[in-house]
Amino acid sequence: MKRRVIVLTMLFALILSLPAFAAEPRVVIVRPTLNFTETTANCQVVILGNSNDDDIVAVIKFWENGRCIETWNEEATGILNFNTTMNAVKRNTYKLTVDAVIDGDDQPTAYIEKTHN
């Protein structure tokens, strides 16, 4: 009986010493991408919230030579995937900006800027 109590006590102590791993929240990602093919600018934005139920609101702007020529207002839950194409002229500079709010928290403006070669 004494041996059984010692074994159970040691087993209980071992179980208590095991680390408990909680699910880590995802890192918020706001990633714009801009690529060119001939006369087209391929615009993509991926926004990943902390969890699958995060509310995402984004204002996406397409700029040509410092002038905003198109704005989109997008909403999603958990993950936002945005894709579109715009006309592009060689040697002009284009910028894609993203202002996002994830679950009420403003995110820093994300952008990518490229010159179409």
Side-chain angles (χ1 to χ4, degrees):
M1 178 71 173
K2 189 175 183 181
R3 179 185 261 183
R4 186 180 215 174
V5 170
I6 292 172
V7 169
L8 288 175
T9 303
M10 289 177 66
L11 183 60
F12 186 67
L14 179 64
I15 290 171
L16 288 178
S17 68
L18 293 176
F21 294 101
E24 291 288 325
R26 295 189 301 212
V27 174
V28 170
I29 295 173
V30 180
R31 182 173 296 140
T33 306
L34 183 60
N35 293 302
F36 301 102
T37 56
E38 296 300 318
T39 60
T40 302
N42 300 299
C43 309
Q44 180 180 19
V45 174
V46 175
I47 302 175
L48 179 64
N50 279 319
S51 69
N52 289 336
D53 60 350
D54 278 355
D55 292 322
I56 300 171
V57 177
V59 177
I60 302 165
K61 294 181 180 181
F62 182 75
W63 304 76
E64 180 180 39
N65 294 329
R67 192 176 122 242
C68 181
I69 60 171
E70 189 68 57
T71 301
W72 301 274
N73 295 293
E74 299 293 320
E75 294 183 21
T77 302
I79 298 173
L80 185 143
N81 280 307
F82 173 82
N83 288 290
T84 194
T85 58
M86 297 291 294
N87 291 330
V89 177
K90 289 192 180 211
R91 293 184 295 281
N92 282 355
T93 300
Y94 295 92
K95 186 175 185 179
L96 190 63
T97 62
V98 184
D99 290 299
V101 178
I102 300 176
D103 258 4
D105 293 329
D106 289 338
Q107 303 300 308
T109 299
Y111 70 92
I112 186 167
E113 185 172 5
K114 288 185 175 180
T115 300
H116 183 16
N117 295 323

Coordinates of all heavy atoms in Angstrom, one line a residue, residues 23-75:
A23 N -2.6 27.4 -27.6 CA -2.5 27.7 -29.0 C -2.0 29.2 -29.1 O -2.5 30.1 -28.5 CB -3.8 27.6 -29.6
E24 N -0.9 29.3 -29.9 CA -0.4 30.7 -30.1 C -1.2 31.4 -31.1 O -1.6 30.8 -32.1 CB 1.1 30.5 -30.6 CG 2.1 30.0 -29.6 CD 2.4 31.0 -28.5 OE1 2.4 32.2 -28.8 OE2 2.6 30.6 -27.4
P25 N -1.5 32.7 -30.9 CA -2.2 33.4 -31.9 C -1.4 33.6 -33.1 O -0.2 33.7 -33.0 CB -2.5 34.8 -31.2 CG -1.5 34.9 -30.1 CD -1.2 33.5 -29.7
R26 N -2.0 33.7 -34.3 CA -1.3 34.0 -35.5 C -0.8 35.4 -35.5 O -1.3 36.3 -34.8 CB -2.2 33.8 -36.7 CG -2.7 32.4 -36.9 CD -3.5 32.2 -38.2 NE -4.6 33.1 -38.3 CZ -5.7 32.8 -39.0 NH1 -5.8 31.7 -39.6 NH2 -6.7 33.6 -39.1
V27 N 0.2 35.6 -36.2 CA 0.8 37.0 -36.4 C -0.1 37.7 -37.5 O -0.3 37.1 -38.5 CB 2.2 36.9 -36.8 CG1 2.8 38.3 -37.2 CG2 3.1 36.3 -35.7
V28 N -0.5 38.9 -37.3 CA -1.2 39.6 -38.3 C -0.3 39.9 -39.5 O 0.9 40.3 -39.3 CB -1.7 41.0 -37.7 CG1 -2.3 41.9 -38.8 CG2 -2.8 40.7 -36.6
I29 N -0.8 39.6 -40.6 CA 0.0 39.9 -41.9 C -0.9 40.8 -42.8 O -2.1 40.5 -43.0 CB 0.3 38.5 -42.6 CG1 1.2 37.7 -41.7 CG2 0.9 38.8 -44.0 CD1 1.5 36.3 -42.3
V30 N -0.3 41.8 -43.3 CA -0.9 42.7 -44.3 C 0.2 42.8 -45.4 O 1.2 43.4 -45.3 CB -1.2 44.1 -43.8 CG1 -1.9 44.9 -44.9 CG2 -2.1 44.0 -42.6
R31 N -0.1 42.1 -46.5 CA 0.9 41.9 -47.6 C 0.4 42.3 -49.0 O -0.3 41.5 -49.6 CB 1.5 40.5 -47.6 CG 2.6 40.3 -48.6 CD 3.2 39.0 -48.5 NE 3.9 38.9 -47.3 CZ 3.9 37.7 -46.5 NH1 3.3 36.7 -47.0 NH2 4.5 37.7 -45.4
P32 N 0.8 43.5 -49.5 CA 0.4 43.8 -50.9 C 1.5 43.3 -51.8 O 2.7 43.2 -51.5 CB 0.4 45.3 -50.9 CG 1.3 45.7 -49.8 CD 1.3 44.6 -48.8
T33 N 1.1 42.9 -53.0 CA 2.0 42.5 -54.1 C 1.6 43.2 -55.4 O 0.4 43.3 -55.7 CB 1.9 40.9 -54.3 OG1 2.1 40.3 -53.0 CG2 2.9 40.4 -55.2
L34 N 2.6 43.6 -56.1 CA 2.4 44.3 -57.4 C 3.3 43.7 -58.4 O 4.6 43.8 -58.2 CB 2.6 45.8 -57.2 CG 2.4 46.8 -58.3 CD1 0.9 46.7 -58.8 CD2 2.7 48.2 -57.9
N35 N 2.8 43.2 -59.5 CA 3.6 42.7 -60.6 C 3.1 43.2 -62.0 O 1.9 43.5 -62.1 CB 3.7 41.1 -60.6 CG 4.4 40.6 -59.4 OD1 5.5 40.9 -59.2 ND2 3.7 39.9 -58.6
F36 N 3.9 43.2 -63.0 CA 3.5 43.7 -64.3 C 3.7 42.6 -65.4 O 4.6 41.8 -65.3 CB 4.4 44.9 -64.7 CG 4.3 46.0 -63.7 CD1 5.3 46.2 -62.8 CD2 3.1 46.8 -63.7 CE1 5.2 47.3 -61.9 CE2 3.1 47.9 -62.7 CZ 4.1 48.1 -61.8
T37 N 2.7 42.6 -66.3 CA 2.9 41.9 -67.6 C 2.4 42.8 -68.7 O 1.2 43.2 -68.7 CB 2.0 40.6 -67.5 OG1 0.7 40.9 -67.3 CG2 2.5 39.6 -66.5
E38 N 3.3 43.1 -69.6 CA 3.0 44.0 -70.7 C 2.3 45.3 -70.3 O 2.9 46.1 -69.7 CB 2.2 43.3 -71.8 CG 3.0 42.1 -72.4 CD 4.3 42.6 -73.1 OE1 4.3 43.6 -73.8 OE2 5.3 41.9 -72.9
T39 N 1.0 45.4 -70.5 CA 0.2 46.6 -70.2 C -0.7 46.4 -69.0 O -1.6 47.2 -68.8 CB -0.6 47.0 -71.4 OG1 -1.5 46.0 -71.7 CG2 0.3 47.4 -72.6
T40 N -0.4 45.4 -68.2 CA -1.2 45.1 -67.0 C -0.5 45.1 -65.7 O 0.6 44.6 -65.6 CB -1.9 43.8 -67.2 OG1 -2.6 43.8 -68.4 CG2 -2.9 43.4 -66.1
A41 N -1.1 45.7 -64.7 CA -0.5 45.6 -63.3 C -1.4 44.6 -62.6 O -2.6 44.7 -62.5 CB -0.6 47.0 -62.6
N42 N -0.8 43.6 -62.0 CA -1.5 42.6 -61.3 C -1.4 42.9 -59.8 O -0.3 42.9 -59.2 CB -0.9 41.2 -61.5 CG -1.0 40.8 -63.0 OD1 -2.1 40.7 -63.5 ND2 0.2 40.6 -63.6
C43 N -2.5 43.3 -59.2 CA -2.5 43.7 -57.8 C -3.1 42.7 -56.9 O -4.2 42.1 -57.2 CB -3.4 45.0 -57.7 SG -3.0 46.3 -58.8
Q44 N -2.4 42.4 -55.8 CA -2.9 41.4 -54.9 C -2.6 41.9 -53.4 O -1.6 42.4 -53.2 CB -2.2 40.0 -55.0 CG -2.7 39.0 -54.1 CD -2.0 37.6 -54.3 OE1 -1.0 37.5 -54.9 NE2 -2.7 36.6 -53.7
V45 N -3.6 41.6 -52.6 CA -3.4 42.0 -51.1 C -3.9 40.7 -50.4 O -5.0 40.2 -50.6 CB -4.2 43.2 -50.7 CG1 -4.2 43.4 -49.2 CG2 -3.7 44.4 -51.5
V46 N -3.1 40.3 -49.4 CA -3.5 39.2 -48.5 C -3.4 39.8 -47.1 O -2.4 40.4 -46.7 CB -2.6 38.0 -48.6 CG1 -2.9 37.0 -47.6 CG2 -2.7 37.4 -50.0
I47 N -4.5 39.7 -46.3 CA -4.5 40.1 -44.9 C -4.9 38.9 -44.1 O -6.0 38.3 -44.4 CB -5.5 41.3 -44.7 CG1 -5.0 42.5 -45.6 CG2 -5.5 41.7 -43.2 CD1 -6.0 43.7 -45.5
L48 N -4.1 38.6 -43.1 CA -4.4 37.5 -42.2 C -4.5 38.0 -40.8 O -3.6 38.6 -40.3 CB -3.2 36.5 -42.3 CG -3.3 35.2 -41.4 CD1 -4.4 34.3 -41.9 CD2 -2.0 34.5 -41.5
G49 N -5.7 37.8 -40.2 CA -6.0 38.3 -38.9 C -5.4 37.3 -37.8 O -4.7 36.3 -38.2
N50 N -5.5 37.7 -36.6 CA -5.0 36.8 -35.5 C -5.8 35.5 -35.4 O -5.2 34.5 -34.9 CB -5.2 37.6 -34.1 CG -4.0 38.6 -33.9 OD1 -2.9 38.3 -34.2 ND2 -4.4 39.7 -33.4
S51 N -7.1 35.5 -35.7 CA -7.8 34.3 -35.6 C -8.8 34.2 -36.8 O -9.0 35.2 -37.5 CB -8.6 34.2 -34.3 OG -9.6 35.2 -34.3
N52 N -9.5 33.1 -36.9 CA -10.4 32.9 -38.1 C -11.7 33.8 -37.9 O -12.4 33.9 -38.9 CB -10.8 31.4 -38.2 CG -9.7 30.6 -38.7 OD1 -8.8 31.1 -39.4 ND2 -9.7 29.3 -38.4
D53 N -11.9 34.4 -36.8 CA -13.1 35.2 -36.6 C -12.8 36.7 -36.5 O -13.7 37.4 -36.1 CB -14.0 34.7 -35.5 CG -13.3 34.7 -34.1 OD1 -12.0 35.0 -34.1 OD2 -13.9 34.5 -33.1
D54 N -11.6 37.1 -36.8 CA -11.3 38.5 -36.7 C -12.0 39.2 -37.9 O -12.0 38.8 -39.0 CB -9.8 38.7 -36.9 CG -9.0 38.6 -35.6 OD1 -9.7 38.4 -34.5 OD2 -7.8 38.6 -35.6
D55 N -12.6 40.4 -37.6 CA -13.2 41.2 -38.6 C -12.1 42.1 -39.3 O -11.3 42.7 -38.6 CB -14.2 42.2 -38.0 CG -15.4 41.4 -37.5 OD1 -15.8 40.4 -38.2 OD2 -16.0 41.8 -36.5
I56 N -12.0 42.0 -40.6 CA -11.0 42.8 -41.3 C -11.7 43.8 -42.2 O -12.6 43.4 -43.0 CB -10.1 41.8 -42.2 CG1 -9.4 40.8 -41.3 CG2 -9.1 42.6 -43.0 CD1 -8.7 39.7 -42.0
V57 N -11.2 45.0 -42.2 CA -11.7 46.1 -43.0 C -10.5 46.7 -43.7 O -9.5 47.0 -43.0 CB -12.5 47.1 -42.3 CG1 -13.0 48.3 -43.2 CG2 -13.7 46.5 -41.6
A58 N -10.5 46.9 -45.0 CA -9.3 47.4 -45.7 C -9.7 48.4 -46.7 O -10.7 48.2 -47.4 CB -8.5 46.3 -46.3
V59 N -8.9 49.5 -46.8 CA -9.0 50.4 -47.9 C -7.7 50.2 -48.7 O -6.6 50.4 -48.2 CB -9.1 51.9 -47.4 CG1 -9.1 52.8 -48.6 CG2 -10.4 52.0 -46.5
I60 N -7.9 49.8 -50.0 CA -6.8 49.5 -50.9 C -6.8 50.6 -52.0 O -7.8 50.9 -52.6 CB -6.9 48.1 -51.5 CG1 -7.0 47.1 -50.4 CG2 -5.8 47.8 -52.5 CD1 -7.5 45.7 -50.8
K61 N -5.6 51.2 -52.2 CA -5.5 52.2 -53.2 C -4.4 51.9 -54.2 O -3.3 51.4 -53.8 CB -5.2 53.6 -52.6 CG -6.3 54.1 -51.7 CD -6.0 55.4 -51.1 CE -7.2 55.9 -50.2 NZ -6.9 57.2 -49.6
F62 N -4.7 52.2 -55.5 CA -3.7 52.0 -56.6 C -3.3 53.4 -57.1 O -4.1 54.2 -57.4 CB -4.4 51.2 -57.7 CG -3.5 50.9 -58.8 CD1 -2.5 49.9 -58.7 CD2 -3.6 51.6 -60.1 CE1 -1.6 49.6 -59.8 CE2 -2.8 51.3 -61.1 CZ -1.8 50.3 -61.0
W63 N -2.0 53.6 -57.0 CA -1.4 54.9 -57.4 C -0.6 54.8 -58.7 O 0.1 53.9 -58.8 CB -0.5 55.4 -56.3 CG -1.2 55.5 -54.9 CD1 -1.5 54.5 -54.1 CD2 -1.6 56.7 -54.2 NE1 -2.1 55.0 -52.9 CE2 -2.2 56.3 -53.0 CE3 -1.6 58.1 -54.6 CZ2 -2.6 57.3 -52.1 CZ3 -2.1 59.0 -53.7 CH2 -2.6 58.6 -52.5
E64 N -0.7 55.9 -59.5 CA 0.2 55.9 -60.7 C 0.9 57.3 -60.7 O 0.2 58.3 -60.6 CB -0.7 55.8 -62.0 CG 0.1 55.9 -63.2 CD -0.7 55.8 -64.5 OE1 -1.8 56.4 -64.5 OE2 -0.3 55.1 -65.4
N65 N 2.2 57.2 -60.6 CA 3.0 58.5 -60.6 C 2.6 59.4 -59.5 O 2.5 60.6 -59.7 CB 3.1 59.2 -61.9 CG 3.8 58.3 -63.0 OD1 4.7 57.6 -62.7 ND2 3.3 58.4 -64.2
G66 N 2.3 58.9 -58.3 CA 1.9 59.7 -57.1 C 0.4 60.2 -57.1 O 0.0 60.9 -56.2
R67 N -0.4 59.7 -58.0 CA -1.8 60.1 -58.1 C -2.7 58.9 -57.9 O -2.5 57.8 -58.6 CB -2.1 60.7 -59.5 CG -3.4 61.4 -59.5 CD -3.6 62.1 -60.9 NE -4.8 61.5 -61.4 CZ -4.9 60.8 -62.6 NH1 -3.8 60.6 -63.3 NH2 -6.0 60.3 -63.0
C68 N -3.6 58.9 -56.9 CA -4.5 57.8 -56.7 C -5.5 57.7 -57.8 O -6.2 58.6 -58.1 CB -5.2 58.0 -55.3 SG -6.3 56.6 -54.9
I69 N -5.5 56.5 -58.5 CA -6.4 56.4 -59.6 C -7.5 55.4 -59.3 O -8.5 55.3 -60.1 CB -5.7 56.1 -60.9 CG1 -4.9 54.8 -60.8 CG2 -4.8 57.2 -61.3 CD1 -4.4 54.3 -62.1
E70 N -7.4 54.6 -58.2 CA -8.5 53.7 -57.9 C -8.5 53.3 -56.4 O -7.4 53.2 -55.8 CB -8.4 52.4 -58.7 CG -9.5 51.4 -58.6 CD -10.8 51.9 -59.3 OE1 -10.8 52.2 -60.5 OE2 -11.8 52.0 -58.6
T71 N -9.7 53.2 -55.8 CA -9.8 52.9 -54.4 C -10.8 51.7 -54.2 O -11.9 51.8 -54.9 CB -10.2 54.1 -53.6 OG1 -9.3 55.1 -53.7 CG2 -10.3 53.7 -52.1
W72 N -10.5 50.8 -53.4 CA -11.4 49.7 -53.1 C -11.6 49.6 -51.6 O -10.6 49.7 -50.9 CB -10.9 48.3 -53.6 CG -10.6 48.3 -55.1 CD1 -11.5 48.0 -56.1 CD2 -9.4 48.5 -55.7 NE1 -10.9 48.0 -57.3 CE2 -9.6 48.4 -57.1 CE3 -8.1 48.9 -55.3 CZ2 -8.6 48.5 -58.1 CZ3 -7.1 49.1 -56.2 CH2 -7.3 48.9 -57.6
N73 N -12.8 49.3 -51.2 CA -13.1 49.1 -49.8 C -13.5 47.6 -49.6 O -14.5 47.2 -50.3 CB -14.3 50.0 -49.3 CG -13.9 51.5 -49.3 OD1 -13.0 51.9 -48.6 ND2 -14.5 52.2 -50.2
E74 N -12.7 46.9 -48.9 CA -13.0 45.4 -48.8 C -13.2 45.0 -47.3 O -12.6 45.6 -46.4 CB -11.7 44.7 -49.3 CG -11.5 45.0 -50.8 CD -12.5 44.4 -51.7 OE1 -13.0 43.3 -51.5 OE2 -12.9 45.1 -52.7
E75 N -14.0 44.0 -47.1 CA -14.2 43.4 -45.8 C -14.2 41.9 -45.8 O -14.5 41.3 -46.9 CB -15.6 43.9 -45.2 CG -15.7 45.4 -45.0 CD -17.0 45.8 -44.4 OE1 -17.7 44.9 -43.8 OE2 -17.4 46.9 -44.5

